[in-house]
Amino acid sequence: MKVISLFCGCGGMDLGLLGGFDYLNQNFPSLDYEIVMAIDNDPFCTKIYNQNFVHKCEVMDVRDLEISKLPDIDMLIGGFPCQSFSISAQNPPRLGYKDERGMLFFEMVKILKNKKPRFFVAENVKGLLSANKGKAFPMILKEFENAGYYIKFKLLNASEFGIPQKRERVIIIGFRDETDYDLFSFPKPTTLFNKVPLKLAVNESDNYNEKLYFSQKAVDGMMRVRDKMNKGRAQSLDEPCNTISSHLAKVSLNSTDPVLYLNGRYRRFSSKECAKIQSFPEDFLWDSVSEAKQLKAIGNAVPPVLMWHIANAIETTANRSIKQEKRHNKSNTYTYPNDEWVQLSLFEPDTLYLSKEENEHTLIGSCRKGIIDWIKQSSKYCYPITEDDILAFPDLLKVKRLFIHHRRNLIGYYQVTATDIVVKAELRAYGYPTSSSRHKADTKYILFSMIPTEKSNDLDFTKFYPIIGKGIQNL
């Protein structure tokens, strides 16, 4: 598939897309993509990029592109700037921008409308989900939809994909073909319960580099305010690192920057360590620019390993031949059953019940009255869950059929098309009425995407057993 890469930086996203590299003794095979054009307006990032790729990146402002003259492509990728979005005071409200950087998102949309690639991938910070009190993100999705795309998005944590960094990023994927949309699933975490520790990215030789250590004056200043201001964020070598940022060259003890505390002294990370924390391979070249420019480029990059998993999932979707007739949220013509499901009165109302007879995983789920309309309109169902629940009941991720009820009333029968683990901010972006939820902002939910199906006559209640919810201990 032919690809144009916008805002490519030093090439983290592009390296992950192409594959063919090793990281922490694991090989990430080459994927079937070709980058036919890459642009960025930072000449220093471009120097690094061109040192590492056969194809070359152009130093250019995306607004200077002659879109009609761009080559035909199958995919557009890029992490558009997001610092400057605003919600303009219009009725209805519209997506605006505070300065010129906010315009760059619309340039991406223009290319999508003109070139109509089969897919696009956009990456951004977690804060995009809550920007402008949660109003900006749904409008951004609407702009992508208006460009002719079905949209899926997910908040991915790099530490769950073999990377020693707790970097959370929103990944938005657009599909021009409805069948691609139906078939695609985000990649499943590879290290959800066995995170890669920071110590695998720390170089022993850097412990002897005096340039990396903070002065005693800086340490004394931090110590005076540490208890009040939570400064001096020393990282545990046995866990993934906190997110590293674009101002790595100006790391301060009086900020929230991650630092190391070794043998009674504080130090910052070297550029090689930062590159490894971001999952760049050892043979990626950086010496075409100063260390300060290296650190800025690394901090802004998309982790290549994370992008590899995303690109691999898209390639898998593109290669699949199975067709689905319906997009799961196109269900307005479906008539939902209104009959009472009398047998459900025997069940605890807030408990999930699972049956896996003949390997056909079927779930009975309950819901609150306040989200019934959301379930029917979005064709999605969610339930609060912990990491211990996921570990204890991995069959939840294999559910194929789902029956949802509210007390004794049947809401509907569904075929599950995709299963994800999400947080509240992601649910809000899907239109879920989270304001009425009692759960905390960092609560995780299992989210099922589904399509309505006909009433099932093969339900055997003796085959179901309770797994999660209230009252299980009393059953």
Side-chain angles (χ1 to χ4, degrees):
M1 289 187 281
K2 297 187 183 300
V3 183
I4 288 179
S5 176
L6 305 180
F7 323 110
C8 64
C10 63
M13 201 173 196
D14 297 25
L15 178 61
L17 183 83
L18 297 175
F21 62 93
D22 295 322
Y23 176 69
L24 294 182
N25 298 319
Q26 182 177 351
N27 179 254
F28 294 87
S30 296
L31 299 175
D32 195 17
Y33 297 95
E34 177 190 358
I35 299 176
V36 296
M37 185 176 192
I39 69 166
D40 196 277
N41 68 345
D42 187 323
F44 299 103
C45 284
T46 303
K47 271 191 174 183
I48 298 171
Y49 189 106
N50 290 339
Q51 195 178 8
N52 288 281
F53 295 90
V54 174
H55 67 276
K56 300 306 175 186
C57 171
E58 297 179 56
V59 182
M60 183 184 296
D61 190 313
V62 67
R63 291 166 293 185
D64 295 333
L65 285 172
E66 293 186 65
I67 296 176
S68 62
K69 295 183 179 180
L70 293 177
D72 292 333
I73 53 172
D74 302 291
M75 183 186 292
L76 180 70
I77 65 173
F80 59 89
C82 67
Q83 303 97 322
S84 51
F85 285 125
S86 65
I87 302 301
S88 56
Q90 300 182 29
N91 191 17
R94 295 182 180 179
L95 187 66
Y97 45 84
K98 297 177 182 176
D99 58 39
E100 291 187 351
R101 289 175 299 177
M103 299 171 66
L104 301 180
F105 161 73
F106 296 100
E107 297 300 323
M108 192 171 188
V109 172
K110 287 179 187 177
I111 295 174
L112 293 174
K113 288 181 177 178
N114 186 282
K115 304 307 297 183
K116 298 179 172 55
R118 183 176 177 181
F119 305 101
F120 77 79
V121 180
E123 177 266 356
N124 227 294
V125 296
K126 177 183 178 180
L128 188 65
L129 293 172
S130 56
N132 297 99
K133 298 181 179 179
K135 295 179 180 179
F137 190 63
M139 292 188 181
I140 290 170
L141 298 185
K142 194 66 178 176
E143 291 289 340
F144 281 134
E145 289 174 348
N146 290 341
Y149 288 83
Y150 304 113
I151 306 298
K152 288 188 177 182
F153 68 91
K154 188 168 177 58
L155 183 66
L156 297 182
N157 189 320
S159 70
E160 296 178 356
F161 292 89
I163 301 168
Q165 182 185 185
K166 305 170 190 175
R167 191 182 192 91
E168 292 184 294
R169 288 297 183 267
V170 178
I171 305 298
I172 306 169
I173 303 182
F175 308 84
R176 180 159 287 278
D177 188 328
E178 190 174 336
T179 300
D180 289 333
Y181 172 91
D182 287 328
L183 293 177
F184 176 81
S185 293
F186 275 96
K188 301 301 182 186
T190 59
T191 54
L192 187 61
F193 303 110
N194 54 329
K195 305 288 177 65
V196 175
L198 173 59
K199 61 187 174 186
L200 295 185
V202 172
N203 297 324
E204 180 68 24
S205 59
D206 285 323
N207 292 333
Y208 302 99
N209 185 352
E210 286 297 320
K211 292 181 180 179
L212 298 177
Y213 285 90
F214 291 97
S215 68
Q216 189 59 47
K217 182 179 179 181
V219 174
D220 292 342
M222 178 272 293
M223 294 297 286
R224 285 194 292 270
V225 297
R226 185 174 62 173
D227 293 338
K228 295 180 180 179
M229 302 181 67
N230 192 23
K231 304 303 182 184
R233 299 283 180 91
Q235 303 297 294
S236 168
L237 291 173
D238 296 321
E239 298 176 3
C241 180
N242 287 352
T243 302
I244 59 175
S245 66
S246 60
H247 57 89
L248 288 167
K250 300 178 181 178
V251 166
S252 167
L253 285 175
N254 288 317
S255 70
T256 58
D257 299 315
V259 295
L260 287 174
Y261 182 70
L262 302 169
N263 301 318
R265 300 179 68 191
Y266 288 90
R267 78 164 175 89
R268 62 178 178 84
F269 296 103
S270 69
S271 58
K272 287 187 177 181
E273 289 173 325
C274 290
K276 206 166 184 179
I277 290 170
Q278 280 279 56
S279 78
F280 281 93
E282 294 274 6
D283 59 358
F284 200 86
L285 302 175
W286 302 96
D287 58 4
S288 59
V289 300
S290 68
E291 186 184 33
K293 299 299 183 185
Q294 292 175 31
L295 289 167
K296 180 180 178 183
I298 293 168
N300 278 327
V302 175
V305 167
L306 181 62
M307 184 59 191
W308 185 91
H309 285 287
I310 296 164
N312 186 49
I314 295 174
E315 183 178 291
T316 300
T317 297
N319 290 335
R320 290 177 66 181
S321 59
I322 300 173
K323 301 291 184 180
Q324 274 185 210
E325 294 181 357
K326 292 184 178 180
R327 176 181 171 219
H328 68 251
N329 64 353
K330 280 193 171 181
S331 55
N332 295 332
T333 60
Y334 181 79
T335 302
Y336 289 86
N338 295 317
D339 54 319
E340 283 196 334
W341 204 354
V342 178
Q343 294 95 327
L344 284 173
S345 63
L346 303 175
F347 289 81
E348 283 287 332
D350 295 316
T351 299
L352 295 184
Y353 287 82
L354 183 69
S355 171
K356 45 182 179 177
E357 189 176 7
E358 295 182 0
N359 226 17
E360 181 75 14
H361 290 64
T362 302
L363 190 71
I364 298 176
S366 65
C367 70
R368 295 182 293 108
K369 184 177 181 180
I371 67 167
I372 292 175
D373 288 342
W374 175 77
I375 291 172
K376 292 182 176 182
Q377 291 168 9
S378 68
S379 286
K380 295 186 185 297
Y381 172 74
C382 67
Y383 195 91
I385 199 169
T386 66
E387 289 192 358
D388 288 340
D389 292 332
I390 302 168
L391 187 60
F393 308 109
D395 286 328
L396 270 174
L397 301 176
K398 302 176 184 177
V399 169
K400 300 298 182 184
R401 295 190 301 173
L402 179 59
F403 307 127
I404 306 172
H405 70 96
H406 170 61
R407 297 182 179 176
R408 290 173 60 187
N409 295 320
L410 176 67
I411 304 305
Y413 298 84
Y414 298 90
Q415 174 189 341
V416 175
T417 59
T419 307
D420 286 318
I421 305 299
V422 302
V423 294
K424 182 178 283 189
E426 291 173 272
L427 285 182
R428 187 184 298 116
Y430 280 120
Y432 180 81
T434 54
S435 58
S436 61
S437 172
R438 300 185 298 269
H439 302 292
K440 297 179 180 179
D442 59 352
T443 299
K444 291 187 176 180
Y445 298 78
I446 186 166
L447 177 68
F448 298 100
S449 298
M450 53 203 186
I451 55 176
T453 188
E454 296 303 317
K455 182 176 180 178
S456 176
N457 294 317
D458 62 350
L459 209 61
D460 184 352
F461 287 92
T462 65
K463 301 291 185 181
F464 284 85
Y465 57 95
I467 52 174
I468 299 173
K470 299 177 182 177
I472 289 180
Q473 292 80 5
N474 299 325
L475 294 175

